[in-house]
């Protein structure tokens, strides 16, 4: 401590005390140099004395705030108070604190200029452990139609809770498996590598175990199939573009070029060429669309292809024969502009001719029957088969007899 000195002439002056050259002897006692410095008149004086034998003061500590905690965002600190220190001679001690997940331990040691004067009554240690906060994150399923913008991926905390203003997006990142075509895709979640996420123990669940499901549904459209027709004996009409989009819309940048039309054969047919009506069936070659086909009449799910009968004009030839002779063959010919189909080269495979019954001299009608349903035949109905009288010469023989 500082002292006040009284000099021989009766004056006084203050001497400042300073301790230096600390050392610990073999008995754990402190030795030091104690120097008093003061001013007398214009002169400065220093008095140095050797001190020894002072024993370290035993002190104790009170530790609080240590232990194990679940992360809640609070700043947790281990605090220490010193019991028995000399007033004015404080000591410095280590401390630990954290607001985040951690496991810290400390063995307390005295520090600072005054530490030399003290000794702890025992060893003091403390542990600060902050464990991760458990949460369960449920991935929400999503559904959108092919060609639409993908929906934002979302999830929610279904067990546990977040701390303060922390956001789930800081903790978990969601991603959808690659793909834009109709189908199902996994939505997976990954825990982020950052300071916020490090404070949580995250369990991720979804409708498919640990994953959610993103469903891209087929894009619904309605396609109207147009009717078409041709004439028997001609090539079938081109129906490849015989359709229109009547409901719904295409995905951006796409067209209906994936629609295929086909004329359906009838049972037992190997090719389509006979007169009649056929179904035009639509097919989609794109699995991203749910296509509903409707006919032009709005009732059926198909269009109608009609092969019209081939209209020909036939002239039946008149015929003549003599009574008693064999009847001559009946004949006819196609006289109109429309001829037989190329594969029907024989007129008599299309029609049949028949004379009215009778063998006696006279006129008989020649009738025509259509034998091929692929034709509509117009013909002359006044054709006649004539049986003429048979010319004969009769010789009369002379004869005689006796009168009476």
């Amino acid at each position: 401590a500082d002292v006040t000195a009284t000099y021989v002439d009766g004056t006084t002056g203050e001497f400042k005390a300073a301790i230096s050259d600390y050392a610990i002897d073999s008995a754990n006692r402190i030795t030091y140099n104690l120097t008093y410095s003061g001013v007398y008149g214009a002169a400065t004086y220093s008095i140095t004395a050797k001190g020894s034998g002072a024993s370290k003061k035993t002190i104790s500590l009170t530790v609080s705030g240590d232990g194990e905690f679940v992360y809640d965002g609070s700043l947790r600190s281990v605090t220490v108070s010193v019991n028995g220190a000399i007033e004015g001679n404080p000591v410095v001690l280590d401390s630990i604190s954290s607001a985040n997940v951690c496991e810290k331990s400390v063995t307390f040691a005295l520090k600072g200029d005054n530490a030399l004067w003290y000794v702890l009554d025992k060893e003091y240690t403390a542990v600060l452990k902050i464990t991760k906060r458990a949460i369960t994150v449920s991935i929400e399923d999503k559904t959108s139609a092919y060609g639409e913008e993908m929906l934002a991926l979302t999830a929610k905390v279904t067990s546990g809770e977040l701390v303060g203003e922390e956001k789930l997006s800081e903790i978990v990142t969601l991603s959808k498996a690659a793909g834009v075509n109709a189908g199902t895709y996994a939505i997976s979640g990954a825990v982020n590598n950052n300071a916020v996420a490090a404070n949580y123990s995250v369990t991720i669940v979804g409708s498919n175990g640990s994953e959610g499901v993103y469903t891209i549904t087929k894009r619904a459209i309605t396609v109207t199939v147009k009717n078409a027709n041709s004439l028997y004996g001609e090539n079938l009409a081109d129906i490849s573009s015989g359709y229109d989009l009547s409901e719904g819309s295409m995905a951006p940048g796409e067209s209906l070029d994936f629609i295929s039309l086909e004329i359906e054969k009838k049972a037992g047919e190997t090719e389509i060429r006979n007169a009649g009506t056929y179904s035009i069936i639509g097919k989609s070659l794109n699995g991203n669309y749910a296509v509903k086909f409707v006919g032009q009449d709005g009732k059926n799910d198909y269009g109608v292809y009609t092969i019209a009968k081939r209209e020909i004009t036939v002239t039946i030839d008149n015929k003549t024969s003599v009574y008693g002779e064999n009847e001559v063959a009946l004949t006819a010919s196609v006289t109109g502009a429309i001829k037989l189909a190329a594969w029907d080269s024989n007129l008599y495979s299309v029609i049949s001719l028949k004379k009215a019954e009778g063998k006696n001299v006279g006129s008989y009608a020649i009738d025509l029957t259509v034998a091929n349903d692929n034709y509509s035949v117009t013909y002359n109905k006044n054709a006649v088969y004539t049986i003429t009288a048979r010319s004969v010469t009769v010789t009369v023989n002379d004869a005689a007899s006796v009168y009476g």
Side-chain angles (χ1 to χ4, degrees), residues 51-62:
S52 65
S55 298
K56 291 185 176 184
K57 182 172 177 55
T58 299
I59 59 176
S60 64
L61 305 178
T62 299

Side-chain angles (χ1 to χ4, degrees), residues 278-309:
Y278 299 81
S279 299
I280 303 175
I281 305 300
K283 296 180 180 180
S284 171
L285 305 179
N286 188 330
N288 291 318
Y289 288 83
V291 184
K292 177 184 177 182
F293 290 98
V294 296
Q296 197 167 316
D297 59 3
K299 298 178 181 179
N300 300 309
D301 59 357
Y302 53 86
V304 176
Y305 192 98
T306 302
I307 300 179
K309 291 185 177 184

Side-chain angles (χ1 to χ4, degrees), residues 65-249:
D66 60 338
E68 183 173 327
F69 309 91
V70 175
Y71 169 73
D72 62 3
S74 302
L75 177 64
R76 304 219 175 243
S77 300
V78 176
T79 59
V80 184
S81 59
V82 180
N83 306 310
I86 299 171
E87 185 177 354
N89 291 283
V91 293
V92 179
L93 296 163
D94 290 323
S95 65
I96 50 177
S97 63
S98 180
N100 296 315
V101 168
C102 68
E103 184 169 359
K104 299 180 178 181
S105 61
V106 61
T107 298
F108 293 101
L110 303 176
K111 294 183 177 180
D113 292 343
N114 295 320
L116 188 63
W117 301 102
Y118 301 101
V119 63
L120 293 174
D121 61 344
K122 64 177 183 178
E123 181 178 85
Y124 290 86
T125 61
V127 175
L128 176 62
K129 184 177 182 179
I130 301 177
T131 60
K132 292 186 176 186
R133 189 176 191 85
I135 59 172
T136 299
V137 175
S138 296
I139 300 174
E140 297 177 311
D141 291 343
K142 298 292 177 180
T143 300
S144 62
Y146 172 75
E148 294 179 355
E149 281 191 26
M150 296 291 178
L151 301 178
L153 304 180
T154 58
K156 59 185 178 182
V157 177
T158 52
S159 177
E161 59 185 14
L162 301 181
V163 170
E165 299 299 318
E166 293 176 347
K167 299 177 180 179
L168 185 57
S169 59
E170 297 177 288
I171 300 168
V172 173
T173 296
L174 301 176
S175 61
K176 169 191 156 295
V180 297
N181 292 326
T184 56
Y185 300 84
I187 304 174
S188 58
V191 179
N192 297 331
N193 183 20
N194 59 37
V196 175
N199 290 318
Y200 290 87
S201 174
V202 183
T203 300
I204 299 175
V205 298
S207 61
N208 187 26
S210 62
E211 297 177 329
V213 177
Y214 195 113
T215 302
I216 300 178
T217 59
K218 294 184 177 184
R219 192 178 187 91
I221 60 173
T222 300
V223 172
T224 298
V225 181
K226 298 178 182 179
N227 295 337
N229 59 78
S230 62
L231 184 65
Y232 174 76
E234 297 179 356
N235 291 330
L236 297 177
D238 180 9
I239 63 169
S240 60
S241 59
Y243 52 82
D244 288 319
L245 178 66
S246 50
E247 289 185 25
S249 63

Side-chain angles (χ1 to χ4, degrees), residues 312-352:
I312 60 173
T313 299
V314 172
T315 299
I316 304 172
D317 299 323
N318 293 326
K319 295 293 179 179
T320 300
S321 65
V322 177
Y323 173 77
E325 295 179 355
N326 291 332
E327 292 181 355
V328 298
L330 304 178
T331 61
S333 61
V334 177
T335 54
I338 301 176
K339 306 303 180 182
L340 297 179
W343 50 81
D344 294 327
S345 58
N346 184 354
L347 175 61
Y348 303 110
S349 67
V350 176
I351 63 169
S352 63

